[in-house]
Amino acid sequence: MVHTIVIRIAAVAFVFASLTRAAVAAPVVLWASDPVAPGQTVLVFGDGFDGCKSVHWERIPDKPGGRAYMGDVAPVQVRQKSVKFVLPATVPQGVFRATIRVGASSATVVVNRPQVLWAQGNAGSSATQGGFVRVVGKCLALPGKKAVIRLSASGHDTNVAPTRSEPFTAQAPLPSSLPAGTYSLTVSSAGNAWSEPVSFVVAPRPRPVPVVLTAPEPDSNATANVTAIQALLTKAGETGGVVRLPAGRWGLDDGLTVPRNVTLEGAGMDRTALCWKDSDTPPKALIAGTDHFAVRDLSLYAINYIHGIIADQSTPTAGSVAIERVRMRINPYRGHLTLDEVNKRFTAAMKHSSGGGDSLRLGGENITVAGCDIYGAGRCLYLSRASGAWVHDNTFYNGRWGWYCLSGNNGVIFENNSVIGGDLMSTGGGLNCLDGSTCSQNVYYAGNTLRNMFGWDREAMTTDAGGAAYYGLLKSGTANTVTLPVDVTWTRNWTGAGIFVLNGTGQGQYRQIAKTAGRDVTVDKPWQIVPDATSIISITMLQRNYLFVGNSFTDAGVAIQMYGMAVGNIASGNTTARTDGYHNFGMNYHGVQPSWYIQWLDNRITDGTVYSGGHDQSVWMDEAHLAVQALDTRVTPLAPVTLCAIVRGNKLDDSAHIEIGTGNHAEVPLTEEVVVEQNVVKNALYGLKVARMTAGVYSRENTFINCGQGEIQQADIEAKAGVKRAALFAKPGPLMRFTFDKPAPFADTTGNGFKAAAAGKVATEPGAHGGSLVLDGLSYVTVDHPELIEMPSFTVSLWIAPQRISGRWGLVSKRVNNAPAPFVIAVHDGCVLFEAADPSGQWPFNTRTAPVLAIGRWTHVAVVFEAGKGATVYIDGKPAARTVSTLSVAQNDEPLIIGRDAWGGPNAGNRPEDKITQAIYQGKLADVQLWPRALGAAEVAKLAAP
């Protein structure tokens, strides 16, 4: 079965009565997507595009006098803040200039122009004479073209030819004769199309280190070895130099400290071994230094330890550390430990971080980790606030609950590494601001292989770090400042964090914070469109310019996850199997965090089988996805949090699909401006699903092979469901009724067509109330067609005979995950509990009865909710609890579940750790009815009659 979808536009228009703004005088471009090839769609975002009927394009010649190509195209989609148009397929690839015409006004954008995000060299953020320069960015080399790197100073240009030239990176050697100094660096990918310049420093060639001290042969006394080696290191620290350890096994019983400007060097990983004695009180680190030191060509062995090699991470002089060709085999669980000893060491390790001690703990400017083989019991690598760092060609093993952490960095190349789960509980890791930084940016993450992440959330690569200082409307703005309408408690130094305009005037802009003073915030550079009192903003940390290129992920949770805050990231040419796939989403992560300007290009999912684990088995097997989504932020006022994404050229081979948006019921579209084109999806439940609460989604030239459905537009489904709901709700009887007088699957007896499927082992038996469903505490029942179960007012009626009443256990709910739900009915410590959320995500209707349940005794339970009035819980036909509210309930797209809720269990508390066990009911249920109206007291009493 092949479905080829040529063009589909999903644009939802919403009117914001509370947010009015003055139209911009002329169109303004804030962002345009690239790289883009001929025959592909360009997405331009800004303001003032409404009314655009023509885009003039021209291909910039590769060299002066080269052939010119130009023409006009009609846009394929126009909205007030966006224009989408397709470059002609017959034109050669290159750099294009596009002029967007709106009446007598226009705006111009250049597409595929090289962009240098940052440059670094053999000396970290700089290079030395005769060293090399490495450039990272976009469109640095177009197909058939090779980048040229130019260094300009004092009117003189020096072009250097890259030995490595790729779309996202280029590297070139520097002549030894190149004068030291500060240069303006630019890159060309097509002759005369040059990037904007960045500053780059070339330093004088470093002098060789003169002092070399060689240690004697290893002593049989561990303390003597520590004393001898440390004495040499201290002596070398007086002038700087190298301490060489000859081949052999060095027994040690304490840590070593490497002074500044000293290198500790062995005869090779296979020849020089430092072996620490086991101890219940190990040193803080096996090898420690402050900064400006190196360790190379040796192996470290230890049983109990705290950290492996550590350096300062955030002091002003931090950095200039090289760890090269070092092997670590450090494992506190080695040997014949008892269970108590294992638990003692594991508990102690978890005090050092959420993943245990660090094998490598480094930070600062000019960090090199190369050619290492690192196996430890905790986190393999913690790199914090680094710049000009190069981590390459290493093998890292994550330990028990171990992970890797690149936090708060600015200019890191992490490439050609293997990151492997070294334990059945190992997890993954990622890029983040978890070290307390306000900004993490400019990371080139390429050619890495990650596998075997089975512990925790199993995220192979995730961005992370929650928190925000402010969310809401502005009071006013100027070119360089904004003023907040309320006082803000600046609980930390937010300098360098992002201030994002999520809606209203200036939507899609962000700036970094230069300083704060009360309600006034100064930004790092002027706004293109000055925000005003209609602008909804969020102040949170900034994570941007992550490039994920050519990585491989297998046997993990999600392969690449952009979790909350992510701006300007690109994932290109990655491959994954047996993971959840790839996704980005904006969200409320202890503060509203946007996901903007993300591109998924030419990635692949070869095996989309998802097998989850842990306490919550609500979705324990599924198929993977490539998703651009937004999670309901549950804040007021609502604003889009996921904006401008490209999903192009991806291949999903088996059991994987594409999703745009989420099935929420927010009042505004939370996901806006997405292009989905030239993707191929094979052997999946469906090819592409576009959620209802999206706007500006444009899909074209996608191919779906052997998919149950091709493209699913939930807005269309909702429109049809609305008509069907109206017809069903007009009937006098219940919407559905399940009597369980026959084995699963169950059909409702109303004739309305609902069916219920068993999840796990369920049984039925005849007897009271016709028949009953018998649940064992591990199984439940799921009802289909959730889109038809959206009722402003309703009644839920059922009989129960529980086998456990202590704790919290779901009876009937429209909630699989912890989403806002229109109703949740549960057993709670012998009481009957009713919960429901309002459209903002709050839970104002929650109420419960007194203890009324007994184990094994049949009890009739009914909940009547009347919109604008509230809810009443009936027990055996009599009112037992009531909550009064004029609010309405939230709606969602989650299925109706009988015998389960998303969280609960024996603890039944409100702490996060009490919510990890799904609340599966144990006992009998009978005659479950759902009515699309509020029944009266007499009608409820009739349902409760024996």
Side-chain angles (χ1 to χ4, degrees):
M1 182 188 305
V2 178
H3 306 274
T4 300
I5 306 300
V6 179
I7 294 178
R8 181 60 190 251
I9 300 175
V12 183
F14 289 82
V15 177
F16 303 95
S18 61
L19 298 178
T20 58
R21 62 168 182 80
V24 293
V28 177
V29 174
L30 298 176
W31 180 82
S33 63
D34 58 5
V36 182
Q40 296 177 344
T41 304
V42 180
L43 164 58
V44 180
F45 186 83
D47 205 351
F49 299 124
D50 195 19
C52 173
K53 292 181 171 49
S54 175
V55 176
H56 178 75
W57 62 270
E58 55 182 305
R59 184 183 181 278
I60 298 174
D62 296 344
K63 57 185 178 180
R67 180 178 174 182
Y69 298 84
M70 65 182 64
D72 295 285
V73 295
V76 294
Q77 189 185 79
V78 177
R79 306 180 72 235
Q80 175 63 31
K81 296 184 179 182
S82 71
V83 169
K84 302 176 183 74
F85 63 93
V86 178
L87 290 175
T90 56
V91 179
Q93 174 67 302
V95 180
F96 293 84
R97 181 183 294 110
T99 302
I100 302 165
R101 298 164 174 164
V102 182
S105 302
S106 65
T108 299
V109 62
V110 177
V111 177
N112 294 339
R113 180 187 183 186
Q115 178 186 357
V116 177
L117 295 174
W118 81 96
Q120 60 187 73
N122 60 297
S125 298
S126 61
T128 61
Q129 294 169 310
F132 66 84
V133 59
R134 182 77 176 271
V135 178
V136 181
K138 293 194 308 177
C139 305
L140 301 180
L142 296 176
K145 308 293 181 182
K146 194 171 184 178
V148 175
I149 301 174
R150 175 174 291 172
L151 297 171
S152 302
S154 304
H156 298 285
D157 297 334
T158 301
N159 290 350
V160 290
T163 55
R164 179 177 180 180
S165 182
E166 301 168 13
F168 301 102
T169 191
Q171 181 171 317
L174 297 179
S176 299
S177 59
L178 185 70
T182 300
Y183 288 83
S184 176
L185 183 152
T186 54
V187 175
S188 170
S189 64
N192 61 352
W194 291 88
S195 68
E196 290 287 339
V198 298
S199 180
F200 188 72
V201 173
V202 177
R205 182 188 295 272
R207 296 178 179 178
V209 178
V211 177
V212 177
L213 302 175
T214 302
E217 295 298 314
D219 197 291
S220 59
N221 185 306
T223 301
N225 286 331
V226 172
T227 301
I229 296 172
Q230 190 60 61
L232 291 174
L233 290 169
T234 302
K235 182 175 179 59
E238 296 174 0
T239 57
V242 177
V243 172
R244 285 183 179 162
L245 301 180
R249 293 182 298 277
W250 297 76
L252 304 171
D253 58 5
D254 202 358
L256 299 173
T257 299
V258 182
R260 299 183 85 241
N261 302 314
V262 171
T263 295
L264 177 62
E265 181 179 277
M269 286 195 301
D270 298 329
R271 302 192 65 204
T272 301
L274 306 184
C275 306
W276 276 262
K277 284 186 173 181
D278 193 15
S279 171
D280 288 333
T281 57
K284 179 181 179 182
L286 304 179
I287 297 177
T290 54
D291 54 82
H292 292 76
F293 71 93
V295 179
R296 59 171 64 102
D297 296 314
L298 46 78
S299 291
L300 278 60
Y301 295 89
I303 300 180
N304 204 18
Y305 73 99
I306 296 177
H307 300 298
I309 300 177
I310 66 172
D312 286 348
Q313 291 184 303
S314 57
T315 60
T317 59
S320 295
V321 176
I323 312 297
E324 298 172 312
R325 300 175 298 281
V326 171
R327 176 180 291 125
M328 290 189 187
R329 294 295 184 265
I330 48 180
N331 181 1
Y333 311 110
R334 181 194 297 262
H336 293 269
L337 273 67
T338 67
L339 290 177
D340 288 342
E341 289 170 329
V342 171
N343 183 64
K344 179 181 177 181
R345 292 193 173 189
F346 182 64
T347 301
M350 294 302 291
K351 295 178 181 178
H352 306 306
S353 84
S354 59
D358 298 317
S359 299
L360 293 178
R361 186 181 182 94
L362 309 170
E365 201 272 338
N366 189 15
I367 300 293
T368 299
V369 180
C372 296
D373 179 4
I374 308 296
Y375 184 102
R379 291 192 301 195
C380 63
L381 173 65
Y382 178 28
L383 183 64
S384 174
R385 307 189 186 207
S387 60
W390 192 18
V391 181
H392 65 99
D393 296 290
N394 303 285
T395 299
F396 294 110
Y397 293 90
N398 286 328
R400 182 156 299 169
W401 273 15
W403 50 300
Y404 68 96
C405 180
L406 308 183
S407 195
N409 300 298
N410 182 10
V412 172
I413 295 174
F414 186 85
E415 64 182 348
N416 301 332
N417 303 289
S418 291
V419 183
I420 304 167
D423 186 273
L424 297 178
M425 295 169 61
S426 300
T427 186
L431 319 179
N432 54 64
C433 287
L434 293 175
D435 63 352
S437 299
T438 58
C439 179
S440 173
Q441 61 185 350
N442 298 335
V443 178
Y444 182 70
Y445 185 109
N448 302 292
T449 299
L450 294 93
R451 67 177 189 270
N452 295 350
M453 283 95 183
F454 296 108
W456 281 16
D457 294 326
R458 305 181 59 212
E459 298 147 333
M461 202 309 302
T462 181
T463 66
D464 220 321
Y470 175 78
Y471 173 82
L473 289 163
L474 283 180
K475 179 181 179 182
S476 61
T478 69
N480 295 287
T481 66
V482 295
T483 300
L484 308 179
V486 295
D487 293 328
V488 174
T489 301
W490 301 100
T491 55
R492 57 191 282 189
N493 181 1
W494 284 91
T495 301
I499 177 167
F500 301 86
V501 183
L502 301 181
N503 210 352
T505 300
Q507 179 187 13
Q509 295 178 105
Y510 74 95
R511 296 292 185 268
Q512 287 186 272
I513 294 177
K515 67 177 181 179
T516 60
R519 299 184 181 185
D520 296 323
V521 179
T522 302
V523 296
D524 64 328
K525 59 182 180 181
W527 300 100
Q528 283 181 260
I529 302 173
V530 176
D532 58 26
T534 71
S535 304
I536 300 174
I537 69 160
S538 181
I539 297 176
T540 182
M541 61 273 298
L542 172 62
Q543 295 194 61
R544 65 176 173 181
N545 299 340
Y546 297 159
L547 303 179
F548 305 103
V549 181
N551 303 284
S552 173
F553 306 89
T554 55
D555 294 305
V558 68
I560 298 177
Q561 172 176 263
M562 302 182 200
Y563 191 79
M565 178 67 254
V567 176
N569 299 347
I570 298 176
S572 175
N574 302 283
T575 301
T576 184
R578 297 181 301 282
T579 74
D580 292 340
Y582 314 99
H583 57 231
N584 69 281
F585 48 81
M587 62 187 299
N588 184 345
Y589 185 24
H590 306 294
V592 177
Q593 297 187 327
S595 187
W596 286 359
Y597 310 132
I598 307 299
Q599 299 191 69
W600 300 96
L601 309 175
D602 303 312
N603 302 287
R604 190 167 185 179
I605 300 176
T606 60
D607 180 351
T609 298
V610 174
Y611 180 82
S612 299
H615 294 279
D616 187 358
Q617 289 281 335
S618 59
V619 184
W620 60 278
M621 61 179 181
D622 203 349
E623 66 176 30
H625 65 202
L626 195 167
V628 176
Q629 299 177 321
L631 302 189
D632 195 338
T633 56
R634 308 183 197 178
V635 292
T636 302
L638 278 175
V641 289
T642 299
L643 180 69
C644 293
I646 306 296
V647 180
R648 174 187 295 127
N650 303 283
K651 294 182 179 180
L652 284 58
D653 293 343
D654 195 21
S655 298
H657 56 263
I658 300 172
E659 295 183 44
I660 307 299
T662 47
N664 52 61
H665 286 69
E667 291 85 356
V668 303
L670 300 181
T671 302
E672 290 191 342
E673 308 300 345
V674 184
V675 172
V676 185
E677 69 178 353
Q678 298 175 354
N679 304 283
V680 179
V681 181
K682 299 179 181 178
N683 306 323
L685 295 175
Y686 54 86
L688 166 65
K689 179 165 66 177
V690 180
R692 73 182 80 183
M693 299 308 295
T694 59
V697 178
Y698 176 70
S699 64
R700 63 185 288 268
E701 296 186 356
N702 299 295
T703 301
F704 310 119
I705 302 171
N706 195 30
C707 295
Q709 297 182 71
E711 183 169 334
I712 300 173
Q713 291 285 338
Q714 286 194 311
D716 295 345
I717 294 174
E718 168 59 19
K720 295 176 182 177
V723 174
K724 191 169 183 179
R725 281 198 303 270
L728 291 175
F729 292 1
K731 295 182 178 181
L735 178 65
M736 67 178 69
R737 182 181 185 182
F738 293 100
T739 56
F740 305 114
D741 53 356
K742 295 180 181 179
F746 309 107
D748 92 275
T749 61
T750 66
N752 289 335
F754 292 95
K755 294 180 180 179
K761 183 179 179 180
V762 302
T764 59
E765 65 179 33
H769 317 291
S772 60
L773 181 69
V774 183
L775 299 179
D776 58 4
L778 300 173
S779 308
Y780 52 91
V781 170
T782 302
V783 181
D784 62 359
H785 293 298
E787 74 280 2
L788 301 179
I789 311 172
E790 296 183 11
M791 304 167 293
S793 298
F794 56 84
T795 300
V796 182
S797 167
L798 70 158
W799 289 89
I800 65 171
Q803 287 301 307
R804 57 184 174 188
I805 59 175
S806 177
R808 185 184 186 284
W809 313 102
L811 295 173
V812 180
S813 69
K814 197 168 187 285
R815 180 168 70 167
V816 174
N817 304 295
N818 266 326
F823 56 85
V824 174
I825 305 169
V827 172
H828 194 175
D829 289 338
C831 310
V832 174
L833 171 72
F834 170 73
E835 296 178 339
D838 65 20
S840 72
Q842 304 303 310
W843 296 78
F845 308 103
N846 297 1
T847 186
R848 68 155 111 184
T849 68
V852 294
L853 302 177
I855 292 177
R857 186 184 72 196
W858 282 103
T859 301
H860 183 263
V861 175
V863 174
V864 177
F865 179 85
E866 188 171 3
K869 295 184 178 181
T872 302
V873 181
Y874 290 82
I875 299 297
D876 291 329
K878 298 179 181 180
R882 178 163 175 76
T883 180
V884 177
S885 176
T886 59
L887 298 172
S888 60
V889 292
Q891 302 294 343
N892 64 34
D893 292 324
E894 306 226 326
L896 178 71
I897 304 294
I898 299 173
R900 179 191 173 275
D901 184 34
W903 70 269
N907 293 323
N910 292 316
R911 302 172 302 167
E913 57 266 36
D914 295 334
K915 299 183 179 182
I916 60 174
T917 303
Q918 53 182 324
I920 301 180
Y921 171 82
Q922 183 176 356
K924 300 177 182 180
L925 298 98
D927 199 11
V928 177
Q929 300 186 39
L930 191 62
W931 296 68
R933 62 182 179 88
L935 298 184
E939 293 175 297
V940 173
K942 185 176 180 181
L943 293 175

